[in-house]
Amino acid sequence: MEQKKFDPNSIIGFVLIFGILLWIMYQNQPDPKAIAAEKAQKEMVIKETKTKELNDKVVAEATAAVAVTGDSTQLAQLEKKLGNFAYSATLPSAKEGFTTIENKLVKLKIANKGGYIVEATLKKFERFKKGSGQLVELIKDNNANLNVQLLTSDNRTLNTKDLYFEPTLTKNGEDQILSMRLKAGANEYLEYKYVLKANDYMLDFNIQSQGLSKVLNTSKPLNLEWDLKTYTNEKSIGYENRYAQLYYEHEEGKSNYLGLGNDKTETVEDVSYIAYKQHFFSSILVSDVPFTKAELFSNNLVKDDKVDTIFTKQFKAVVPLAFKNGEIDQKMNWYYGPTDYGLLKSYGKNLEDIVALGWGIFGWINRHAFIPMFGFLSSFIQHGWAIIVFTVLVKLAMSPITYKSFLSQAKMKVLRPEINELGEKFKKDPMKKQQETMKLYNKAGVNPMAGCIPGLMQAPIFYALFQFFPSAISLRQKGFLWADDLSSFDSIYELPFHVPAYGNHISLFPILASIAIFFYMKMTTGDQQMAAPTQEGMPDMAKMMKIMIYVSPLMMLFFFNSYASGLSLYYFVSNTITIGIMLVIKNYIIDSDKIHAQIQENKKKEPKKQGKFQRKLQEVMEQAEAQKAKDQKK
């Protein structure tokens, strides 16, 4: 054995690298002056924020006092703060009042102070589980805020959320029309106009002004601020939080989302809608004329799903409202309702893009195949049985691909003895062994890649289904067997402790799916090992596959324990059917003797013309062999 020698060059190299790292660390040290400046800036922002909050408090208290007592001294003080908008404090509506508009689907409560929606309740949906008695409330207890920042012509900055609007409720047929006006005079106002139609989650929402061209500074657009902290509505907080995202559409139908991390910010242009998605429910602001830009913010509020159990995300958007001829006239819509693909698509505003169905071909499969198929099945049979029938149909559609995969494995299995002979014959020449193996494949009419191609063709189906089930709101709170909600986990036992990456409960469908995966891999792994020839210098695939027999079911067990039980049900049924198909194909369809005879017949014929890939691989091998022979002669 060759003795290891001391290599001074290596020591010098390590010393130089270490020195360079120290120099980089020194150069990147923060400047003390910059740190001090940043600290001062933060302190100034905090001070300004506190001053603003104090001023807002004074304004609110003075407004309330004027509304109650009509004190002229306080009114004069208020005019110094609010200018023309002090007029709103003299009206009877300048108090903590509310107006409710509702239909069969949604109930909305609008406050006099701020003029915005302070409660949004969905009448057809319950929180957590069926029969809980708690309706889904997208807005309640000050979790949402809508504010327009008013820049007045006399250099004041006011916030509509601190001022009182005057409500007027009328009807036009079955439509309920609520006008909320922030008045600067008898005929001068900023108006929020809500129009709620019968049997609809979408309402019209317009912001317009009248007679404010001299009251407001019209040289700059007004900033509309909308923020929302999303309440938890499902059993699994972590699962719900994974699908709670801020979506938006920009650039003529191009939709995107902000991301799942902490303090995500982005500024985008030409935004036609902003959607605060809470997995199965969404709050969406749609504009007829796209906002020229939108400043968007998203923050994850679930650091620990055992502790953070009230909210999932914090969303915020700031958009400009442009003046036209000295006035504001922004026509929009609000949507408070379920994240239902079919319902959202019916509005014709591309809102269905917020449903996570996957990109490219995966989304196409879901939109044009799985959603219509499952929707049809679930319209006349129970949802659990619909999943089973749906799974059978998918497996039948994929059965030709499954058959070709097994047929390829059977052919490789028949050739295994001859491949082993080549391995022994050219044991000392791996390159020659590869060349002869490729010649045998070509002569026998066997494509070694044929077993992989069907698997690749099935991958889009599997991924599309993985996206489909978590997005199917039709499964929410639909029971099947022991599962009371196919959109959530099917707990059969609550653990007295929490297992990392698993949770504090035991779900049964993931266990059944894991067992099915184990037996499926047990059946297929042996054939794959026998079919696949050993390769020199390659990892021992037999050992790796044996390990995967146990690792894959275990991963399934942990990964799906808190996922939708409908997805676990699908994988259980799917793998069980696959095992059945395999047994039928192996025992009644594929005949090894016939395959062997066919291969022997193929050998007698002229070899098939090689494909481009095989020909290129053969050329590479021949070139490598020629180079090896050349090197040996030197």
Side-chain angles (χ1 to χ4, degrees):
M1 182 182 291
E2 184 181 356
Q3 188 176 1
K4 292 184 179 179
K5 298 180 181 179
F6 175 74
D7 186 2
N9 291 330
S10 298
I11 301 299
I12 294 170
F14 281 120
V15 171
L16 288 174
I17 292 171
F18 183 69
I20 291 171
L21 289 173
L22 287 177
W23 182 81
I24 292 172
M25 292 172 64
Y26 174 77
Q27 289 295 320
N28 285 281
Q29 279 186 327
D31 185 1
K33 293 182 179 179
I35 293 174
E38 184 179 354
K39 184 178 179 182
Q41 178 69 20
K42 287 182 178 179
E43 290 176 351
M44 184 176 69
V45 170
I46 292 172
K47 185 177 179 181
E48 289 177 351
T49 302
K50 288 182 177 179
T51 302
K52 180 180 176 300
E53 289 176 352
L54 182 61
N55 288 336
D56 291 342
K57 185 178 180 181
V58 170
V59 169
E61 290 176 351
T63 302
V66 169
V68 173
T69 65
D71 190 293
S72 59
T73 303
Q74 289 180 327
L75 178 59
Q77 291 177 350
L78 196 59
E79 286 176 343
K80 291 181 181 179
K81 293 285 185 182
L82 302 181
N84 290 15
F85 286 102
Y87 179 84
S88 62
T90 66
L91 303 174
S93 57
K95 59 184 179 181
E96 295 292 337
F98 303 93
T99 305
T100 299
I101 55 176
E102 61 183 309
N103 55 26
K104 294 179 180 179
L105 303 176
V106 63
K107 178 181 178 182
L108 304 173
K109 186 176 180 182
I110 297 91
N112 289 2
K113 186 177 182 181
Y116 58 87
I117 298 171
V118 292
E119 288 184 13
T121 305
L122 305 184
K123 296 183 174 182
K124 301 291 185 179
F125 297 93
E126 292 180 286
R127 298 181 72 195
F128 306 128
K129 64 179 181 179
K130 192 173 183 179
S132 68
Q134 301 180 56
L135 293 177
V136 170
E137 296 175 283
L138 301 183
I139 301 177
K140 67 171 183 175
D141 298 336
N142 300 314
N143 72 313
N145 181 51
L146 182 74
N147 179 58
V148 176
Q149 195 174 71
L150 304 175
L151 304 177
T152 65
S153 56
D154 52 0
N155 296 321
R156 292 184 175 87
T157 300
L158 307 176
N159 293 292
T160 58
K161 66 180 181 179
D162 302 320
L163 305 176
Y164 287 98
F165 287 66
E166 183 180 56
T168 303
L169 179 61
T170 58
K171 282 191 174 183
N172 182 11
E174 293 187 344
D175 295 351
Q176 299 170 64
I177 304 169
L178 176 62
S179 169
M180 302 294 294
R181 291 181 177 179
L182 172 62
K183 292 190 171 182
N187 296 304
E188 299 168 347
Y189 55 82
L190 178 73
E191 181 184 47
Y192 295 169
K193 188 176 182 180
Y194 302 89
V195 181
L196 181 63
K197 303 177 181 66
N199 203 35
D200 199 348
Y201 290 103
M202 183 81 76
L203 64 150
D204 297 340
F205 175 63
N206 301 332
I207 298 181
Q208 55 194 21
S209 65
Q210 177 175 303
L212 298 183
S213 58
K214 294 182 179 180
V215 176
L216 298 177
N217 179 359
T218 59
S219 63
K220 296 179 181 179
L222 303 181
N223 280 336
L224 172 65
E225 303 167 353
W226 174 39
D227 59 83
L228 176 71
K229 288 171 70 175
T230 58
Y231 279 105
T232 58
N233 291 302
E234 314 303 328
K235 287 196 301 183
S236 176
I237 297 168
Y239 187 61
E240 180 183 6
N241 191 42
R242 186 179 292 111
Y243 293 95
Q245 292 181 304
L246 189 158
Y247 281 81
Y248 59 90
E249 183 189 70
H250 64 121
E251 297 178 4
E252 294 291 330
K254 185 177 179 182
S255 62
N256 209 336
Y257 60 91
L258 199 55
L260 293 173
N262 299 323
D263 297 328
K264 293 285 185 178
T265 58
E266 191 170 348
T267 300
V268 291
E269 297 179 349
D270 299 324
V271 177
S272 53
Y273 72 70
I274 300 166
Y276 297 163
K277 178 187 171 188
Q278 301 174 228
H279 193 188
F280 286 129
F281 305 98
S282 295
S283 305
I284 309 174
L285 178 63
V286 188
S287 180
D288 288 359
V289 177
F291 302 115
T292 55
K293 72 172 183 177
E295 297 174 12
L296 306 174
F297 171 82
S298 173
N299 187 35
N300 180 28
L301 300 179
V302 181
K303 312 302 180 184
D304 184 347
D305 58 12
K306 298 187 295 296
V307 178
D308 304 318
T309 59
I310 299 176
F311 301 104
T312 55
K313 292 288 195 309
Q314 169 77 61
F315 296 130
K316 184 173 183 178
V318 180
V319 296
L321 303 178
F323 284 95
K324 292 180 181 178
N325 300 320
E327 301 291 351
I328 295 290
D329 187 11
Q330 189 81 33
K331 290 179 171 57
M332 297 172 284
N333 297 94
W334 284 116
Y335 176 88
Y336 293 104
T339 312
D340 184 295
Y341 180 85
L343 177 59
L344 292 173
K345 187 177 180 180
S346 68
Y347 291 110
K349 298 177 182 291
N350 300 322
L351 302 181
E352 69 274 11
D353 288 345
I354 73 172
V355 183
L357 297 175
W359 53 271
I361 188 172
F362 313 115
W364 188 93
I365 292 171
N366 277 324
R367 284 189 292 271
H368 301 287
F370 292 162
I371 289 178
M373 186 191 305
F374 188 77
F376 170 73
L377 292 172
S378 59
S379 66
F380 62 90
I381 58 176
Q382 188 183 8
H383 284 75
W385 289 110
I387 291 176
I388 294 174
V389 175
F390 175 79
T391 308
V392 171
L393 294 176
V394 171
K395 297 307 293 184
L396 286 175
M398 295 169 62
S399 58
I401 299 174
T402 305
Y403 171 74
K404 288 184 179 180
S405 177
F406 291 144
L407 181 62
S408 175
Q409 289 181 17
K411 288 180 179 180
M412 296 289 288
K413 185 177 178 180
V414 169
L415 283 177
R416 179 66 184 228
E418 296 181 57
I419 293 171
N420 288 340
E421 288 179 12
L422 292 174
E424 288 296 322
K425 185 177 180 180
F426 301 103
K427 184 184 295 184
K428 297 182 180 181
D429 193 347
M431 188 62 68
K432 186 67 175 176
K433 173 191 167 185
Q434 290 288 347
Q435 289 178 334
E436 294 301 319
T437 301
M438 293 300 295
K439 287 179 182 178
L440 175 62
Y441 287 150
N442 189 44
K443 192 174 181 181
V446 175
N447 183 0
M449 299 297 294
C452 302
I453 293 173
L456 293 174
M457 292 177 66
Q458 295 181 61
I461 304 294
F462 292 145
Y463 183 78
L465 288 166
F466 185 78
Q467 294 289 105
F468 168 74
F469 281 103
S471 299
I473 191 174
S474 59
L475 296 178
R476 187 178 187 271
Q477 296 180 0
K478 299 297 191 301
F480 182 66
L481 299 178
W482 56 85
D484 58 3
D485 188 346
L486 288 169
S487 73
S488 189
F489 56 82
D490 57 312
S491 175
I492 58 170
Y493 183 75
E494 295 295 323
L495 297 172
F497 50 85
H498 187 274
V499 179
Y502 184 74
N504 60 351
H505 64 273
I506 297 176
S507 297
L508 184 52
F509 276 131
I511 295 175
L512 295 175
S514 299
I515 293 171
I517 288 175
F518 173 79
F519 283 107
Y520 165 73
M521 296 194 69
K522 193 77 172 175
M523 292 177 65
T524 58
T525 300
D527 290 342
Q528 290 172 356
Q529 291 172 9
M530 293 181 67
T534 57
Q535 304 291 335
E536 294 289 338
M538 296 295 288
D540 191 338
M541 294 303 296
K543 288 184 179 179
M544 292 180 64
M545 292 301 291
K546 286 180 180 178
I547 294 172
M548 290 305 296
I549 290 176
Y550 301 97
V551 171
S552 294
L554 194 61
M555 290 175 61
M556 172 76 189
L557 187 63
F558 272 77
F559 190 70
F560 285 89
N561 190 59
S562 295
Y563 261 60
S565 54
L567 184 59
S568 300
L569 171 61
Y570 168 82
Y571 278 114
F572 166 62
V573 175
S574 177
N575 282 287
T576 303
I577 292 173
T578 302
I579 291 171
I581 292 174
M582 285 172 56
L583 292 173
V584 171
I585 291 175
K586 291 174 70 173
N587 296 325
Y588 299 101
I589 298 177
I590 292 180
D591 188 329
S592 298
D593 293 334
K594 287 184 179 180
I595 292 174
H596 184 269
Q598 182 62 49
I599 287 176
Q600 299 308 316
E601 285 295 321
N602 291 342
K603 288 182 181 179
K604 297 176 184 178
K605 301 176 184 178
E606 287 291 327
K608 290 184 178 180
K609 186 178 180 181
Q610 288 182 323
K612 289 183 179 181
F613 176 77
Q614 289 179 305
R615 188 166 61 250
K616 187 67 177 176
L617 184 60
Q618 186 72 22
E619 290 174 0
V620 171
M621 289 181 178
E622 290 174 355
Q623 291 172 5
E625 187 68 22
Q627 183 64 39
K628 181 180 178 181
K630 185 178 179 181
D631 293 340
Q632 288 177 347
K633 290 180 180 180
K634 291 182 180 180

